Amino acid sequence: MTEIKPHSSHWGAFQAVVEGGRLVEARPFARDPFPGSLLASMPDAVHGAARIDRPYIRAGWLRGERRGASRGGDNFVPVSWDEAIRRVAEETARIREEHGAPSILGGSYGWSSAGRYHHARTQLHRFLGMGGGFTSQVTNYSYGAGMTLMPHILGTNEVIQGRITDWRSIARNTKLMLCLGGLPKKNGLVTAGGGGAHEYLPLMRQAAEAGVRFVNISPFRGDTEDFLNAEWVPIRPNTDAALIFGMAHVVLEAGLQDSAFLDRCTVGFDRFRDYVLGATDGTPKTPEWAAAITEVPVETIRRLALEAAGSPTMCTATWSIQRAEHGEQPWWALVAFAAMLGGIGKPGQGIAFGYGSINGMGTPRVDLPSVSGPAVRNPCGAYIPVSRVTELLERPGEILQYNGRDLLLPDIRMIWWAGGNPFHHHQDLGRLLRGWNRADTVVVQEPWWTSVARHADIVLPATTTLERNDIGSSSRDRFVTAMHQAIAPVGLARNDVDILADLADAAGFRAAFTEQRDESAWLQHMYGRWRQACAKQGVEVPDFDAFWAAGHVEIPPPEQDYVQFADFAQDPEANPLDTPTGKVEIFSETIASFGYAETPGHPVWHEPTEYLGSPMAEKYPLHMLSFQPSTRLHGQLDSGRVAAADKIQGREKLRMHPDDAAARSLTDGQVIRVFNDRGVVAAGLLVTPDIRPGVVAMATGAWWNPERPGATDSACIHGNANVLTQDIGTSRLGQGSAAQSCLVQIEAWVGELPPVTVHTPPPGAQAPAQPPLP
């Protein structure tokens, strides 16, 4: 018997086709114009050997090995749910009593489930908050530096997260679109919270057909699609700020800045102008100066600057640009440049970040909230920027400076992770593991034997979205999707909510945690709140029963184009920005008051310590960029067929220019050794002229597979790029990830090639029994 159930995922809504209790196909949602290929991996992930079949506890932990124990190479011992719940409850109570609430790190950073109720991070933080508190995380890996910066200078993070000027306005009004980091297609395949329609690519195509001229400023030609006919400017990585300063100098030299806009809508332009012209430091930021740093020809810098000043221009940068040393600076400089052009708030012009970073950015939509789950305040208030996890573990009792605050780092005794994988997101994985091993106990809720589960003490098997009911919803998407349970839980997997409810029961607050609602009642409650919010904005949606039966709700697109900052630009006094001055702060007195030498009150050029212009390049002469994959979402679906088909001899691919390959006697398709002082990875070589010489690139998300499990200095034989990336903050202001500032050397892999084992259970564990294939 075949059953078909509506469902959703971060990579798209779909119909779950089930035969004999087994998911056999994820059929794309009929209203999706560009569903992509990731859905094909769903059956592999749900029913694969990497699923966790039952609760496990690390053998060494059972013997009493706690703080300082080596994790990742030990055997796991199967236990009952009763024992697992008892052990976690007792350990949580002990650590709270002996070390205080801040000693528990409620990690759980990650994309988790598209469903808004069974969202692991939300539920875990709610549980830990009700239990007395925990150390939390703020910002994110994707645009952490930028999201700390933008409220200071533009008064909002909508310019990063959306709602931003929509593609219809661009198609109708823009003549030139300067794209730092390009507009990659692959990033438009995913939507946090699920998406009913991948509209990014069709909308971008319409803009190209309308005559918008695109410029791809990136080391990789493939960061724009062929149909855009984009000009490729193969810039040296990490030098975008220098390019912008050079362009600003051209505009100033020609007297083409919009002085009226600058006087009316900004503060601090005079200080930025003095810096660009060299009055501040004696170094004019001329096109010649910029060309020497960026390796972009002087003529190109001058031409692009004059074209931008002479036509309606949209300035944009991908999120990846700020994931580098001093990553705040190119974004801040781009805001200043857009202000010089005077286009902020005009149709199809101005500034935005992220058009090429996630689906839904610039999609015409009514500004409605998404369906949201329950939350709770963290009573102890302890937090760190998410990308500083290793420092938190390494430096208890010390101070971390962040965004004008001095954060006292607590002594972390328990790490609790659900719905994410820090051994994917974080940098310098050997160093992370050394810090990770300082904890007394690591608890992980996870459906698969990912790296975070393999480095846990207590592993609690969680269901996937297919094994429960939920609601998929994103503020960036026009569809809300009913996620019907399609199959029974695999093995002994349980819903995160049910796991935490039992733990809350042991701690004496089950009724408060569940609010005496079951799954069905929670979904109806959440949908009802969302329906009321829609009604307040004049949007009527069907009741819950009608929605659940239909499988989705569609919100029609608005009739009018949306232009961000339009009201502000028209009347900045009546519609001020949420900055201290109410204006665009090209110079920020607030940031200047923090006293951080690396982030003075206006954007500046700082030479990174690790880029092709630094002395380190003599030892490691290749700049490695790590990007989001097209074959999975971060690490999700890595065990699926789409990701597997894209690898070379089972290893993640690395792109390299033919000249660099020839200089090392390397050939396309062979396995190579990529290394620096932080570690070694095996990768499969893809030789391509579409990447500039001196630069290599590989996708993140291949599950970390150390050749010697548990060792902090072992080569990753699967190709996890974050073994090699450096773990420093962008600056004390943003403390974001600086993964894109990474130098490596490459040579042929010599000797026997070890097998990839990370998609099978670790020692002591076994794969779950599955329904037979139909």
Side-chain angles (χ1 to χ4, degrees):
M1 177 182 175
T2 299
E3 297 180 278
I4 298 178
K5 302 290 183 74
H7 212 74
S8 190
S9 67
H10 295 303
W11 40 93
F14 63 94
Q15 290 182 312
V17 182
V18 177
E19 295 182 7
R22 188 183 183 101
L23 178 71
V24 296
E25 181 186 1
R27 190 174 295 163
F29 180 48
R31 301 292 303 281
D32 193 341
F34 189 77
S37 63
L38 297 184
L39 289 172
S41 286
M42 290 288 288
D44 307 324
V46 171
H47 297 292
R51 285 297 299 270
I52 304 171
D53 67 320
R54 65 186 66 238
Y56 287 92
I57 298 180
R58 184 174 62 84
W61 191 89
L62 289 172
R63 293 192 299 267
E65 298 173 10
R66 300 290 197 272
R67 189 162 226 190
S70 177
R71 296 179 173 94
D74 207 348
N75 280 20
F76 284 95
V77 177
V79 298
S80 68
W81 268 111
D82 286 345
E83 181 176 359
I85 294 294
R86 177 179 63 80
R87 295 272 194 172
V88 174
E90 291 174 352
E91 184 69 351
T92 305
R94 180 190 73 80
I95 287 175
R96 281 193 191 283
E97 181 178 351
E98 294 180 6
H99 304 287
S103 67
I104 299 176
L105 172 61
S108 304
Y109 176 88
W111 280 59
S112 188
S113 163
R116 298 299 85 187
Y117 173 56
H118 290 287
H119 187 257
R121 183 177 190 269
T122 299
Q123 294 290 358
L124 177 60
H125 285 188
R126 187 164 175 266
F127 165 79
L128 291 174
M130 286 182 170
F134 61 103
T135 293
S136 185
Q137 299 157 308
V138 297
T139 71
N140 60 31
Y141 284 95
S142 295
Y143 47 84
M147 73 186 298
T148 303
L149 171 70
M150 285 302 148
H152 289 298
I153 63 174
L154 287 174
T156 180
N157 270 327
E158 284 190 359
V159 71
I160 308 171
Q161 299 165 322
R163 201 181 178 197
I164 57 176
T165 297
D166 65 39
W167 279 101
R168 292 190 311 199
S169 182
I170 291 172
R172 291 169 178 164
N173 301 284
T174 305
K175 296 303 180 184
L176 176 66
M177 194 162 182
L178 296 176
C179 307
L180 275 68
L183 295 167
K185 178 182 76 172
K186 59 184 176 56
N187 296 339
L189 297 174
V190 297
T191 313
H198 292 92
E199 298 182 283
Y200 163 60
L201 205 67
L203 288 167
M204 190 164 56
R205 187 184 294 273
Q206 291 171 18
E209 292 171 350
V212 178
R213 192 170 88 78
F214 296 87
V215 179
N216 173 25
I217 303 171
S218 167
F220 182 45
R221 188 196 302 271
D223 276 337
T224 52
E225 292 301 294
D226 291 343
F227 66 76
L228 292 180
N229 295 313
E231 176 185 354
W232 182 31
V233 179
I235 190 171
R236 176 189 272 180
N238 290 189
T239 65
D240 303 87
L243 175 70
I244 298 164
F245 291 134
M247 294 171 64
H249 192 282
V250 172
V251 173
L252 287 170
E253 191 176 47
L256 296 175
Q257 68 273 19
D258 189 332
S259 297
F261 179 86
L262 291 167
D263 291 343
R264 191 168 55 93
C265 296
T266 76
V267 294
F269 175 69
D270 54 338
R271 302 208 195 188
F272 177 76
R273 179 195 59 215
D274 288 349
Y275 176 76
V276 171
L277 295 179
T280 303
D281 60 1
T283 303
K285 312 307 180 293
T286 64
E288 291 78 11
W289 170 87
I293 296 170
T294 65
E295 297 186 346
V296 175
V298 171
E299 296 77 12
T300 301
I301 297 173
R302 190 177 300 279
R303 173 175 53 81
L304 290 177
L306 295 175
E307 288 181 11
S311 60
T313 298
M314 172 60 76
C315 299
T316 185
T318 53
W319 295 344
S320 60
I321 295 299
Q322 52 82 72
R323 292 198 296 270
E325 291 182 60
H326 312 297
E328 297 86 357
Q329 300 308 323
W331 275 25
W332 198 350
L334 196 62
V335 171
F337 184 70
M340 289 177 62
L341 301 181
I344 295 176
K346 292 181 180 179
Q349 301 180 54
I351 183 74
F353 303 93
Y355 282 112
S357 295
I358 196 170
N359 184 52
M361 296 293 281
T363 298
R365 59 177 174 83
V366 178
D367 191 20
L368 293 174
S370 61
V371 178
S372 59
V376 74
R377 183 180 65 88
N378 180 9
C380 79
Y383 69 89
I384 58 158
V386 66
S387 66
R388 303 276 49 84
V389 169
T390 299
E391 288 188 52
L392 169 69
L393 300 171
E394 289 177 338
R395 299 170 48 199
E398 297 184 30
I399 295 295
L400 176 73
Q401 292 185 300
Y402 165 64
N403 196 22
R405 300 175 179 88
D406 289 346
L407 305 179
L408 178 65
L409 298 177
D411 185 7
I412 297 299
R413 295 295 182 131
M414 171 180 272
I415 301 171
W416 197 326
W417 221 277
N421 180 4
F423 291 95
H424 157 70
H425 280 100
H426 206 69
Q427 284 67 61
D428 194 350
L429 295 186
R431 180 182 168 199
L432 172 62
L433 181 55
R434 289 190 290 274
W436 192 263
N437 287 339
R438 290 176 57 88
D440 288 10
T441 299
V442 179
V443 179
V444 169
Q445 297 164 218
E446 174 65 48
W448 297 278
W449 283 112
T450 61
S451 301
V452 67
R454 290 168 183 267
H455 292 87
D457 297 313
I458 304 175
V459 181
L460 307 176
T463 54
T464 68
T465 65
L466 276 298
E467 297 148 58
R468 58 204 188 204
N469 295 298
D470 215 325
I471 298 173
S473 176
S474 170
S475 61
R476 297 190 183 103
D477 190 71
R478 295 188 297 105
F479 291 85
V480 173
T481 307
M483 300 171 64
H484 290 202
Q485 181 175 345
I487 61 172
V490 170
L492 298 180
R494 299 182 66 202
N495 297 339
D496 293 284
V497 178
D498 296 333
I499 297 169
L500 295 169
D502 281 355
L503 288 164
D505 186 61
F509 58 90
R510 175 188 280 271
F513 180 75
T514 65
E515 296 186 19
Q516 298 183 327
R517 294 188 181 100
D518 62 10
E519 178 186 73
S520 176
W522 268 113
L523 296 183
Q524 293 182 59
H525 173 69
M526 290 163 51
Y527 183 88
R529 287 194 311 168
W530 176 73
R531 189 178 182 220
Q532 290 174 357
C534 291
K536 288 180 180 178
Q537 298 191 43
V539 177
E540 296 297 325
V541 298
D543 64 21
F544 179 82
D545 290 340
F547 155 69
W548 197 254
H552 71 272
V553 170
E554 178 182 3
I555 306 298
E559 295 182 2
Q560 300 296 319
D561 297 351
Y562 177 71
V563 178
Q564 192 173 31
F565 302 120
D567 293 342
F568 163 73
Q570 185 175 3
D571 189 342
E573 299 299 325
N575 305 287
L577 300 180
D578 191 17
T579 60
T581 61
K583 297 183 178 183
V584 177
E585 300 211 350
I586 297 175
F587 183 93
S588 167
E589 293 285 358
T590 300
I591 293 176
S593 72
F594 296 159
Y596 303 150
E598 70 274 26
T599 50
H602 61 77
V604 295
W605 161 251
H606 283 302
E607 183 172 307
T609 58
E610 194 162 338
Y611 87 122
L612 291 176
S614 64
M616 191 182 296
E618 295 181 11
K619 182 177 182 182
Y620 297 114
L622 297 169
H623 193 125
M624 190 189 80
L625 300 175
S626 48
F627 58 90
Q628 296 307 316
S630 62
T631 61
R632 56 183 172 257
L633 169 59
H634 293 290
Q636 294 185 53
L637 304 179
D638 186 54
S639 58
R641 68 193 69 177
V642 178
D646 192 59
K647 294 175 183 177
I648 294 175
Q649 298 187 50
R651 327 290 151 162
E652 194 60 40
K653 288 191 304 193
L654 177 139
R655 293 173 170 87
M656 175 184 277
H657 191 273
D659 292 350
D660 293 321
R664 293 162 177 79
S665 301
L666 302 174
T667 58
D668 189 72
Q670 77 177 107
V671 175
I672 53 176
R673 182 176 181 266
V674 190
F675 63 97
N676 57 22
D677 289 342
R678 290 179 287 271
V680 178
V681 304
L685 181 61
L686 174 65
V687 179
T688 173
D690 287 341
I691 196 163
R692 61 162 281 162
V695 179
V696 297
M698 63 188 303
T700 60
W703 290 4
W704 187 31
N705 195 159
E707 186 176 5
R708 293 177 288 112
T712 61
D713 60 351
S714 178
C716 175
I717 58 177
H718 192 205
N720 187 309
N722 278 330
V723 169
L724 303 167
T725 52
Q726 65 168 332
D727 185 10
I728 62 169
T730 52
S731 74
R732 286 173 289 178
L733 174 66
Q735 290 289 9
S737 164
Q740 303 292 17
S741 300
C742 176
L743 295 178
V744 300
Q745 181 58 288
I746 294 176
E747 61 190 17
W749 185 278
V750 177
E752 184 179 355
L753 189 60
V756 174
T757 59
V758 74
H759 294 141
T760 57
Q766 62 182 17
Q770 301 278 8
L773 286 167

